[in-house]
Amino acid sequence: MTEIRTPRLVLRRWLDDDLVPLSEIHADPVVMQGIGDGRPRSPEQTAEDIEAWEEEWDEEGFGMFAVELLGSGELAGAVGLSVADAPAEVAGQVAISWRLGRAFWGQGYASEAAHATLEFALQDRGLDRVVAVRRTGDSASANVLDKLGMQAEGTAQHPVHGYEVVVHGIDLTQYQE
Ligand SMILES: CC(C)(COP(=O)(O)OP(=O)(O)OC[C@H]1O[C@@H](n2cnc3c(N)ncnc32)[C@H](O)[C@@H]1OP(=O)(O)O)[C@@H](O)C(=O)NCCC(=O)NCCS
């Protein structure tokens, strides 16, 4: 069972008990405005997300981590890896993404989890490249990407949702712990 400990967090696979707290995070329109179609996700959709992430773990050996606070055991959100299906510029490549409950913003948790995830991807899993796709104007994600050393490589249009995105990437050769 893959589990990563950072100074303040545990990154782990999903448990049944995560459904309620993740559903609460997914019910927040402010959290969800930069994800997918920009709308909150129901508990049923959240259960499908967790199932899909677990399937990806089983099939690919990587996936979205449940991010738990080491001190309190609270679920802060989801950070991890998935094979991107859109936009075409990154389809089939491994993408890193993040979403934390609003109560957990502004404390460095997203960056702490993302650093550990990038190290897991490039050093543990042996991937030679990781990409990220953020909405133009998502300055919080731009800040995280900057701290990860993931440079902007261009813009694209999301084929389903229509908005403009910025594509970021990092190759193993550029990666510095
Ligand atoms: C994107 C998102 C995960 C970023 O979270 P975040 O909390 O802003 O990101 P960080 O973990 O980098 O923390 C930011 C700030 O915490 C502060 N901070 C407080 N304590 C800290 C600590 N101990 N260590 C580091 N930073 C700390 C810092 O000021 C830091 O800002 P800085 O980089 O300018 O110094 C969050 O805004 C989110 O979930 N958004 C909604 C979902 C979303 O849109 N996801 C993107 C779609 S892919």
Short mmCIF file of all heavy atoms in Angstrom, two decimals, residues 8 30-31 34-35 97-100 104-111 133 138 140-141 143-144 147, ligand 1:
data_model
loop_
_atom_site.label_atom_id
_atom_site.label_comp_id
_atom_site.label_asym_id
_atom_site.label_seq_id
_atom_site.Cartn_x
_atom_site.Cartn_y
_atom_site.Cartn_z
N ARG A 8 4.17 17.27 7.62
CA ARG A 8 2.86 17.54 8.22
C ARG A 8 1.72 16.71 7.66
O ARG A 8 0.58 16.84 8.12
CB ARG A 8 2.51 19.03 8.03
CG ARG A 8 3.49 19.98 8.71
CD ARG A 8 3.10 21.43 8.47
NE ARG A 8 3.19 21.75 7.05
CZ ARG A 8 2.69 22.85 6.50
NH1 ARG A 8 2.04 23.72 7.25
NH2 ARG A 8 2.84 23.08 5.20
N VAL A 30 -16.50 27.32 -4.55
CA VAL A 30 -15.24 28.07 -4.69
C VAL A 30 -14.08 27.10 -4.95
O VAL A 30 -13.20 27.37 -5.78
CB VAL A 30 -14.98 28.93 -3.44
CG1 VAL A 30 -13.65 29.65 -3.53
CG2 VAL A 30 -16.11 29.93 -3.25
N VAL A 31 -14.08 25.97 -4.28
CA VAL A 31 -13.03 24.97 -4.53
C VAL A 31 -13.15 24.44 -5.95
O VAL A 31 -12.16 24.25 -6.65
CB VAL A 31 -13.14 23.79 -3.52
CG1 VAL A 31 -12.21 22.65 -3.91
CG2 VAL A 31 -12.84 24.27 -2.10
N GLY A 34 -12.41 25.81 -10.52
CA GLY A 34 -11.31 25.60 -11.47
C GLY A 34 -11.13 24.16 -11.89
O GLY A 34 -10.13 23.81 -12.50
N ILE A 35 -12.09 23.30 -11.55
CA ILE A 35 -11.93 21.87 -11.81
C ILE A 35 -13.06 21.38 -12.72
O ILE A 35 -14.23 21.68 -12.47
CB ILE A 35 -11.95 21.08 -10.48
CG1 ILE A 35 -10.73 21.47 -9.64
CG2 ILE A 35 -11.99 19.58 -10.73
CD1 ILE A 35 -10.73 20.90 -8.25
N SER A 97 -2.23 17.11 -10.16
CA SER A 97 -3.28 18.09 -9.87
C SER A 97 -3.58 18.09 -8.38
O SER A 97 -3.09 17.21 -7.63
CB SER A 97 -4.55 17.78 -10.67
OG SER A 97 -5.13 16.58 -10.24
N TRP A 98 -4.35 19.07 -7.96
CA TRP A 98 -4.60 19.27 -6.53
C TRP A 98 -5.93 19.93 -6.29
O TRP A 98 -6.43 20.72 -7.10
CB TRP A 98 -3.49 20.13 -5.91
CG TRP A 98 -2.98 21.18 -6.86
CD1 TRP A 98 -3.61 22.31 -7.28
CD2 TRP A 98 -1.72 21.15 -7.54
NE1 TRP A 98 -2.82 23.00 -8.17
CE2 TRP A 98 -1.66 22.31 -8.36
CE3 TRP A 98 -0.63 20.27 -7.56
CZ2 TRP A 98 -0.57 22.61 -9.17
CZ3 TRP A 98 0.45 20.57 -8.37
CH2 TRP A 98 0.49 21.72 -9.15
N ARG A 99 -6.53 19.61 -5.17
CA ARG A 99 -7.71 20.31 -4.66
C ARG A 99 -7.75 20.10 -3.16
O ARG A 99 -7.69 18.96 -2.69
CB ARG A 99 -9.00 19.80 -5.33
CG ARG A 99 -9.39 18.41 -4.90
CD ARG A 99 -10.48 17.84 -5.76
NE ARG A 99 -10.05 17.65 -7.14
CZ ARG A 99 -10.75 16.96 -8.06
NH1 ARG A 99 -11.91 16.42 -7.74
NH2 ARG A 99 -10.29 16.82 -9.28
N LEU A 100 -7.78 21.20 -2.44
CA LEU A 100 -7.86 21.12 -0.98
C LEU A 100 -9.12 21.83 -0.51
O LEU A 100 -9.56 22.81 -1.13
CB LEU A 100 -6.65 21.79 -0.31
CG LEU A 100 -5.26 21.21 -0.57
CD1 LEU A 100 -4.24 21.91 0.33
CD2 LEU A 100 -5.21 19.71 -0.35
N PHE A 104 -8.03 24.52 4.38
CA PHE A 104 -6.64 24.05 4.36
C PHE A 104 -5.78 24.86 3.39
O PHE A 104 -4.64 24.50 3.13
CB PHE A 104 -6.61 22.55 4.02
CG PHE A 104 -7.45 21.73 4.95
CD1 PHE A 104 -8.72 21.31 4.57
CD2 PHE A 104 -7.00 21.43 6.22
CE1 PHE A 104 -9.51 20.58 5.43
CE2 PHE A 104 -7.79 20.70 7.10
CZ PHE A 104 -9.05 20.27 6.70
N TRP A 105 -6.32 25.93 2.85
CA TRP A 105 -5.53 26.79 1.96
C TRP A 105 -4.63 27.71 2.79
O TRP A 105 -4.89 27.97 3.96
CB TRP A 105 -6.44 27.67 1.11
CG TRP A 105 -7.30 26.95 0.11
CD1 TRP A 105 -7.43 25.59 -0.06
CD2 TRP A 105 -8.17 27.55 -0.85
NE1 TRP A 105 -8.33 25.33 -1.06
CE2 TRP A 105 -8.80 26.51 -1.57
CE3 TRP A 105 -8.49 28.86 -1.18
CZ2 TRP A 105 -9.73 26.75 -2.59
CZ3 TRP A 105 -9.42 29.10 -2.21
CH2 TRP A 105 -10.02 28.06 -2.89
N GLY A 106 -3.60 28.20 2.13
CA GLY A 106 -2.76 29.24 2.71
C GLY A 106 -1.86 28.76 3.84
O GLY A 106 -1.36 29.55 4.63
N GLN A 107 -1.62 27.45 3.88
CA GLN A 107 -0.77 26.90 4.94
C GLN A 107 0.39 26.07 4.38
O GLN A 107 1.08 25.38 5.12
CB GLN A 107 -1.62 26.03 5.88
CG GLN A 107 -2.72 26.86 6.55
CD GLN A 107 -3.68 25.99 7.35
OE1 GLN A 107 -3.31 25.41 8.37
NE2 GLN A 107 -4.90 25.87 6.88
N GLY A 108 0.53 26.11 3.06
CA GLY A 108 1.63 25.38 2.44
C GLY A 108 1.37 23.89 2.26
O GLY A 108 2.26 23.16 1.80
N TYR A 109 0.15 23.43 2.55
CA TYR A 109 -0.12 21.99 2.45
C TYR A 109 -0.13 21.50 0.99
O TYR A 109 0.33 20.40 0.70
CB TYR A 109 -1.48 21.65 3.08
CG TYR A 109 -1.55 21.80 4.58
CD1 TYR A 109 -2.69 22.32 5.18
CD2 TYR A 109 -0.50 21.39 5.40
CE1 TYR A 109 -2.79 22.44 6.56
CE2 TYR A 109 -0.59 21.51 6.77
CZ TYR A 109 -1.74 22.04 7.35
OH TYR A 109 -1.82 22.16 8.71
N ALA A 110 -0.70 22.33 0.09
CA ALA A 110 -0.77 21.91 -1.31
C ALA A 110 0.64 21.73 -1.86
O ALA A 110 0.94 20.72 -2.52
CB ALA A 110 -1.55 22.94 -2.14
N SER A 111 1.51 22.68 -1.57
CA SER A 111 2.88 22.58 -2.08
C SER A 111 3.63 21.41 -1.45
O SER A 111 4.40 20.72 -2.13
CB SER A 111 3.62 23.89 -1.81
OG SER A 111 3.04 24.92 -2.58
N VAL A 133 -2.06 21.06 -15.91
CA VAL A 133 -2.93 21.94 -16.70
C VAL A 133 -3.72 22.79 -15.71
O VAL A 133 -4.40 22.26 -14.84
CB VAL A 133 -3.92 21.10 -17.55
CG1 VAL A 133 -4.84 22.02 -18.33
CG2 VAL A 133 -3.16 20.16 -18.48
N ASP A 138 -5.81 31.04 -12.66
CA ASP A 138 -5.74 30.30 -11.39
C ASP A 138 -4.37 30.59 -10.78
O ASP A 138 -3.42 29.83 -10.93
CB ASP A 138 -5.95 28.80 -11.65
CG ASP A 138 -5.82 27.95 -10.38
OD1 ASP A 138 -5.54 28.50 -9.30
OD2 ASP A 138 -5.99 26.72 -10.49
N ALA A 140 -3.38 30.68 -7.66
CA ALA A 140 -2.94 29.81 -6.56
C ALA A 140 -2.20 28.59 -7.12
O ALA A 140 -1.14 28.20 -6.63
CB ALA A 140 -4.14 29.37 -5.71
N SER A 141 -2.75 28.01 -8.20
CA SER A 141 -2.07 26.86 -8.82
C SER A 141 -0.78 27.33 -9.51
O SER A 141 0.23 26.60 -9.49
CB SER A 141 -2.98 26.17 -9.84
OG SER A 141 -4.04 25.52 -9.17
N ASN A 143 1.17 29.60 -8.53
CA ASN A 143 2.16 29.74 -7.45
C ASN A 143 2.73 28.38 -7.05
O ASN A 143 3.95 28.22 -6.87
CB ASN A 143 1.47 30.43 -6.26
CG ASN A 143 2.41 30.73 -5.12
OD1 ASN A 143 3.60 30.99 -5.33
ND2 ASN A 143 1.90 30.69 -3.90
N VAL A 144 1.86 27.38 -6.92
CA VAL A 144 2.33 26.02 -6.57
C VAL A 144 3.26 25.51 -7.68
O VAL A 144 4.35 24.98 -7.41
CB VAL A 144 1.14 25.05 -6.37
CG1 VAL A 144 1.65 23.64 -6.12
CG2 VAL A 144 0.24 25.51 -5.22
N LYS A 147 6.68 27.03 -7.55
CA LYS A 147 7.51 26.47 -6.48
C LYS A 147 8.00 25.07 -6.82
O LYS A 147 9.05 24.64 -6.36
CB LYS A 147 6.73 26.48 -5.16
CG LYS A 147 6.54 27.89 -4.59
CD LYS A 147 5.87 27.89 -3.23
CE LYS A 147 4.38 27.75 -3.33
NZ LYS A 147 3.70 27.83 -2.03
C1 LIG B 1 -4.67 25.40 -5.74
C2 LIG B 1 -4.65 25.15 -4.22
C3 LIG B 1 -4.50 23.67 -3.96
C4 LIG B 1 -3.46 25.95 -3.66
O1 LIG B 1 -3.45 25.89 -2.25
P1 LIG B 1 -2.56 26.90 -1.39
O2 LIG B 1 -2.84 26.66 0.02
O3 LIG B 1 -2.78 28.28 -1.93
O4 LIG B 1 -1.07 26.52 -1.80
P2 LIG B 1 0.26 26.34 -0.93
O5 LIG B 1 0.30 25.03 -0.28
O6 LIG B 1 1.36 26.60 -1.89
O7 LIG B 1 0.22 27.45 0.20
C5 LIG B 1 0.24 28.83 -0.15
C6 LIG B 1 0.69 29.72 0.96
O8 LIG B 1 0.59 29.14 2.25
C7 LIG B 1 1.42 29.98 3.13
N1 LIG B 1 2.00 29.17 4.21
C8 LIG B 1 1.57 29.22 5.48
N2 LIG B 1 2.26 28.36 6.23
C9 LIG B 1 3.15 27.74 5.43
C10 LIG B 1 4.14 26.74 5.65
N3 LIG B 1 4.34 26.20 6.86
N4 LIG B 1 4.87 26.33 4.61
C11 LIG B 1 4.69 26.87 3.40
N5 LIG B 1 3.75 27.83 3.11
C12 LIG B 1 2.99 28.25 4.14
C13 LIG B 1 2.43 30.65 2.27
O9 LIG B 1 2.20 32.01 2.35
C14 LIG B 1 2.13 30.12 0.88
O10 LIG B 1 2.20 31.16 -0.08
P3 LIG B 1 3.60 31.52 -0.82
O11 LIG B 1 3.94 30.40 -1.72
O12 LIG B 1 3.26 32.75 -1.60
O13 LIG B 1 4.63 31.70 0.23
C15 LIG B 1 -5.96 25.64 -3.58
O14 LIG B 1 -6.10 27.00 -3.86
C16 LIG B 1 -7.18 24.88 -4.09
O15 LIG B 1 -7.49 23.79 -3.64
N6 LIG B 1 -7.91 25.48 -5.06
C17 LIG B 1 -9.14 24.88 -5.58
C18 LIG B 1 -8.88 23.68 -6.43
C19 LIG B 1 -8.20 24.03 -7.73
O16 LIG B 1 -8.53 25.01 -8.37
N7 LIG B 1 -7.27 23.19 -8.16
C20 LIG B 1 -6.56 23.39 -9.37
C21 LIG B 1 -7.12 22.61 -10.46
S1 LIG B 1 -5.84 21.57 -11.13
#
